[in-house]
Amino acid sequence: MYETLKPLLFTLPPECAHHLAGLGLKLGIKTPLIKNLIKKDFKDEILSQNLLGLNFANPIGIGGGFDKNADLAYGLGYLGFGFLEYGTFTPRPQSGNPRPRLWRIKEHNSLQNAMGFNNEGSAAVEQNIAKYFPLSLPVFANIGKNKTTPNESAINDYIYLTKRFEKLCDGFVINISSPNTPNLRELQNDEFLSTLGKELRKITNNPLVLKIAPDMQPNAAVALCQCAIESGFNAIIINNTSIDYSLYPAAKSIGGLSGELICAKSRELFSAVASEIFGKAVLISCGGISDAREALWRIKHGASLIEIFTALIYKGPAMIENLNKELANLLKIEGFENINEAVGSALKK
């Protein structure tokens, strides 16, 4: 179905196509015939894990930014994901950066986005997710600060959102690595993370997940992750979008790159970080993953979970089930009885 609709969707501006696809998903799950076509029930025990006190039927999740306002979470739960993120959202509504702010790079199955945390604000997000939570799979709230909140007050935004959504998610993803909010990445420092982790731990026992930028030097990334773990974080997502415009000569001078263009860069940083902190926190790999072999490489090098985003736009919803089937098959071919045995197996050797 998606392959039939894709040429039409790709004639539209990317942001318009995204909203149209989201609307189609919301309407589809309300129609029994379409809902049955959408729903994916593939399960294989080889992919199941218990992590962070949560049960994951498979390791494939959707990254933050796809469901900014938590109005797609219920529908996304039917597509075969092992976990979801909603957000990034902020305490107050904000419109994000001026349009156009999202571009396709078709020849590389990639995107460039300069969205800027556009979202309807915490009140609207709360109303949306409260209709469905809890879901049958783990759901994480991806939270960020408002653009107008100065960095010296940023911690207050994260505290506010954690208090408000503590009962409306299974864990929090702390986004301080988007390139599209001015000076946000400056918060990727030990002092802020240490204070933030300790303050959030006073509020919630839910898992705390830090998402880092792919453009950090490996030593700095390792040090930051170690600080986060010591401060109460349970998991690390490696990584967000990249501002390394050398990866694509025709890139805009704003926003972050995602998709296959950043695959090698993401893999390199993940390997560097995992080699130092594997076993100390749950590692989640994101960035340019579009097939089972790449997913398995990340898993064998320390990733317990995998996130996709851009690949979903280019390959469509069927890729989730296909990715899980192919991953399960690869694990069996290599002699693993469960994905847990594969996680970090290359590092253990």
Side-chain angles (χ1 to χ4, degrees), residues 235-256:
I236 311 291
I237 297 176
I238 310 160
N239 46 249
N240 212 315
T241 58
S242 175
I243 56 171
D244 182 359
Y245 303 139
S246 68
L247 296 172
Y248 182 57
K252 311 289 183 183
S253 58
I254 57 171

mmCIF file of all heavy atoms in Angstrom, residues 235-256:
data_model
loop_
_atom_site.group_PDB
_atom_site.id
_atom_site.type_symbol
_atom_site.label_atom_id
_atom_site.label_comp_id
_atom_site.label_asym_id
_atom_site.label_seq_id
_atom_site.Cartn_x
_atom_site.Cartn_y
_atom_site.Cartn_z
ATOM 1 N N ALA A 235 20.157 4.833 30.489
ATOM 2 C CA ALA A 235 20.366 4.424 29.097
ATOM 3 C C ALA A 235 20.865 5.615 28.282
ATOM 4 O O ALA A 235 20.656 6.771 28.660
ATOM 5 C CB ALA A 235 19.076 3.877 28.498
ATOM 6 N N ILE A 236 21.513 5.307 27.177
ATOM 7 C CA ILE A 236 22.063 6.323 26.270
ATOM 8 C C ILE A 236 21.604 6.019 24.853
ATOM 9 O O ILE A 236 21.697 4.878 24.391
ATOM 10 C CB ILE A 236 23.614 6.333 26.281
ATOM 11 C CG1 ILE A 236 24.166 6.371 27.707
ATOM 12 C CG2 ILE A 236 24.134 7.494 25.443
ATOM 13 C CD1 ILE A 236 23.929 7.661 28.454
ATOM 14 N N ILE A 237 21.087 7.057 24.164
ATOM 15 C CA ILE A 237 20.792 6.938 22.728
ATOM 16 C C ILE A 237 21.922 7.590 21.955
ATOM 17 O O ILE A 237 22.233 8.767 22.149
ATOM 18 C CB ILE A 237 19.471 7.628 22.351
ATOM 19 C CG1 ILE A 237 18.290 6.967 23.060
ATOM 20 C CG2 ILE A 237 19.247 7.554 20.831
ATOM 21 C CD1 ILE A 237 16.956 7.659 22.822
ATOM 22 N N ILE A 238 22.517 6.826 21.072
ATOM 23 C CA ILE A 238 23.625 7.300 20.248
ATOM 24 C C ILE A 238 23.209 7.090 18.793
ATOM 25 O O ILE A 238 23.250 5.973 18.301
ATOM 26 C CB ILE A 238 24.915 6.501 20.532
ATOM 27 C CG1 ILE A 238 25.168 6.458 22.049
ATOM 28 C CG2 ILE A 238 26.113 7.074 19.785
ATOM 29 C CD1 ILE A 238 26.085 5.341 22.464
ATOM 30 N N ASN A 239 22.634 8.078 18.111
ATOM 31 C CA ASN A 239 22.780 9.494 18.365
ATOM 32 C C ASN A 239 21.649 10.276 17.695
ATOM 33 O O ASN A 239 20.795 9.703 17.013
ATOM 34 C CB ASN A 239 24.110 9.966 17.817
ATOM 35 C CG ASN A 239 24.392 9.442 16.409
ATOM 36 O OD1 ASN A 239 25.271 8.609 16.180
ATOM 37 N ND2 ASN A 239 23.614 9.906 15.454
ATOM 38 N N ASN A 240 21.700 11.607 17.824
ATOM 39 C CA ASN A 240 20.762 12.528 17.193
ATOM 40 C C ASN A 240 21.213 12.818 15.758
ATOM 41 O O ASN A 240 22.077 12.126 15.214
ATOM 42 C CB ASN A 240 20.691 13.820 18.013
ATOM 43 C CG ASN A 240 19.323 14.481 17.984
ATOM 44 O OD1 ASN A 240 18.712 14.599 16.934
ATOM 45 N ND2 ASN A 240 18.842 14.927 19.133
ATOM 46 N N THR A 241 20.638 13.847 15.134
ATOM 47 C CA THR A 241 21.034 14.226 13.769
ATOM 48 C C THR A 241 22.383 14.935 13.769
ATOM 49 O O THR A 241 22.840 15.451 14.788
ATOM 50 C CB THR A 241 19.970 15.131 13.124
ATOM 51 O OG1 THR A 241 19.798 16.298 13.945
ATOM 52 C CG2 THR A 241 18.651 14.408 13.002
ATOM 53 N N SER A 242 23.010 15.002 12.594
ATOM 54 C CA SER A 242 24.373 15.521 12.481
ATOM 55 C C SER A 242 24.418 16.863 11.744
ATOM 56 O O SER A 242 23.674 17.089 10.786
ATOM 57 C CB SER A 242 25.257 14.519 11.724
ATOM 58 O OG SER A 242 26.551 15.060 11.512
ATOM 59 N N ILE A 243 25.315 17.727 12.205
ATOM 60 C CA ILE A 243 25.574 18.985 11.501
ATOM 61 C C ILE A 243 26.896 18.921 10.738
ATOM 62 O O ILE A 243 27.485 19.955 10.408
ATOM 63 C CB ILE A 243 25.557 20.197 12.456
ATOM 64 C CG1 ILE A 243 26.550 20.012 13.602
ATOM 65 C CG2 ILE A 243 24.148 20.422 12.997
ATOM 66 C CD1 ILE A 243 26.735 21.254 14.457
ATOM 67 N N ASP A 244 27.341 17.712 10.436
ATOM 68 C CA ASP A 244 28.542 17.526 9.616
ATOM 69 C C ASP A 244 28.132 17.613 8.145
ATOM 70 O O ASP A 244 27.858 16.616 7.496
ATOM 71 C CB ASP A 244 29.183 16.173 9.925
ATOM 72 C CG ASP A 244 30.469 15.949 9.139
ATOM 73 O OD1 ASP A 244 30.846 16.833 8.343
ATOM 74 O OD2 ASP A 244 31.097 14.880 9.327
ATOM 75 N N TYR A 245 28.087 18.837 7.637
ATOM 76 C CA TYR A 245 27.591 19.055 6.275
ATOM 77 C C TYR A 245 28.576 18.575 5.209
ATOM 78 O O TYR A 245 28.214 18.514 4.028
ATOM 79 C CB TYR A 245 27.273 20.536 6.069
ATOM 80 C CG TYR A 245 26.264 21.078 7.060
ATOM 81 C CD1 TYR A 245 26.414 22.336 7.635
ATOM 82 C CD2 TYR A 245 25.155 20.324 7.437
ATOM 83 C CE1 TYR A 245 25.497 22.838 8.551
ATOM 84 C CE2 TYR A 245 24.237 20.808 8.345
ATOM 85 C CZ TYR A 245 24.407 22.063 8.908
ATOM 86 O OH TYR A 245 23.500 22.541 9.810
ATOM 87 N N SER A 246 29.767 18.190 5.611
ATOM 88 C CA SER A 246 30.712 17.621 4.645
ATOM 89 C C SER A 246 30.225 16.271 4.125
ATOM 90 O O SER A 246 30.714 15.783 3.095
ATOM 91 C CB SER A 246 32.092 17.460 5.282
ATOM 92 O OG SER A 246 32.076 16.447 6.291
ATOM 93 N N LEU A 247 29.265 15.688 4.814
ATOM 94 C CA LEU A 247 28.720 14.398 4.383
ATOM 95 C C LEU A 247 27.904 14.529 3.111
ATOM 96 O O LEU A 247 27.668 13.538 2.413
ATOM 97 C CB LEU A 247 27.847 13.805 5.497
ATOM 98 C CG LEU A 247 28.563 13.448 6.797
ATOM 99 C CD1 LEU A 247 27.539 13.073 7.867
ATOM 100 C CD2 LEU A 247 29.553 12.314 6.578
ATOM 101 N N TYR A 248 27.457 15.754 2.799
ATOM 102 C CA TYR A 248 26.624 15.977 1.621
ATOM 103 C C TYR A 248 26.921 17.377 1.091
ATOM 104 O O TYR A 248 26.493 18.372 1.691
ATOM 105 C CB TYR A 248 25.146 15.837 1.989
ATOM 106 C CG TYR A 248 24.199 16.005 0.830
ATOM 107 C CD1 TYR A 248 24.293 15.193 -0.297
ATOM 108 C CD2 TYR A 248 23.188 16.970 0.864
ATOM 109 C CE1 TYR A 248 23.418 15.335 -1.360
ATOM 110 C CE2 TYR A 248 22.306 17.118 -0.190
ATOM 111 C CZ TYR A 248 22.423 16.302 -1.312
ATOM 112 O OH TYR A 248 21.549 16.449 -2.365
ATOM 113 N N PRO A 249 27.652 17.484 -0.004
ATOM 114 C CA PRO A 249 28.078 18.796 -0.509
ATOM 115 C C PRO A 249 26.942 19.772 -0.770
ATOM 116 O O PRO A 249 27.129 20.977 -0.667
ATOM 117 C CB PRO A 249 28.804 18.442 -1.814
ATOM 118 C CG PRO A 249 29.263 17.033 -1.623
ATOM 119 C CD PRO A 249 28.216 16.378 -0.791
ATOM 120 N N ALA A 250 25.755 19.251 -1.095
ATOM 121 C CA ALA A 250 24.627 20.139 -1.388
ATOM 122 C C ALA A 250 23.761 20.422 -0.160
ATOM 123 O O ALA A 250 22.647 20.940 -0.287
ATOM 124 C CB ALA A 250 23.763 19.531 -2.492
ATOM 125 N N ALA A 251 24.263 20.101 1.029
ATOM 126 C CA ALA A 251 23.480 20.298 2.252
ATOM 127 C C ALA A 251 23.201 21.774 2.509
ATOM 128 O O ALA A 251 23.987 22.652 2.139
ATOM 129 C CB ALA A 251 24.231 19.711 3.448
ATOM 130 N N LYS A 252 22.063 22.043 3.135
ATOM 131 C CA LYS A 252 21.766 23.378 3.614
ATOM 132 C C LYS A 252 22.724 23.697 4.769
ATOM 133 O O LYS A 252 23.319 22.804 5.359
ATOM 134 C CB LYS A 252 20.316 23.478 4.117
ATOM 135 C CG LYS A 252 19.270 22.919 3.167
ATOM 136 C CD LYS A 252 19.084 23.780 1.949
ATOM 137 C CE LYS A 252 17.979 23.214 1.061
ATOM 138 N NZ LYS A 252 17.812 23.994 -0.195
ATOM 139 N N SER A 253 22.820 24.957 5.111
ATOM 140 C CA SER A 253 23.721 25.348 6.201
ATOM 141 C C SER A 253 22.994 25.416 7.538
ATOM 142 O O SER A 253 23.503 25.978 8.503
ATOM 143 C CB SER A 253 24.355 26.709 5.900
ATOM 144 O OG SER A 253 23.355 27.692 5.719
ATOM 145 N N ILE A 254 21.811 24.822 7.604
ATOM 146 C CA ILE A 254 21.040 24.774 8.840
ATOM 147 C C ILE A 254 20.497 23.368 9.031
ATOM 148 O O ILE A 254 20.389 22.589 8.092
ATOM 149 C CB ILE A 254 19.853 25.774 8.828
ATOM 150 C CG1 ILE A 254 18.942 25.510 7.620
ATOM 151 C CG2 ILE A 254 20.344 27.201 8.845
ATOM 152 C CD1 ILE A 254 17.656 26.297 7.644
ATOM 153 N N GLY A 255 20.163 23.057 10.271
ATOM 154 C CA GLY A 255 19.495 21.791 10.535
ATOM 155 C C GLY A 255 20.432 20.604 10.610
ATOM 156 O O GLY A 255 21.651 20.717 10.450
ATOM 157 N N GLY A 256 19.846 19.431 10.852
ATOM 158 C CA GLY A 256 20.620 18.217 11.024
ATOM 159 C C GLY A 256 20.313 17.179 9.964
ATOM 160 O O GLY A 256 19.181 17.071 9.485
#
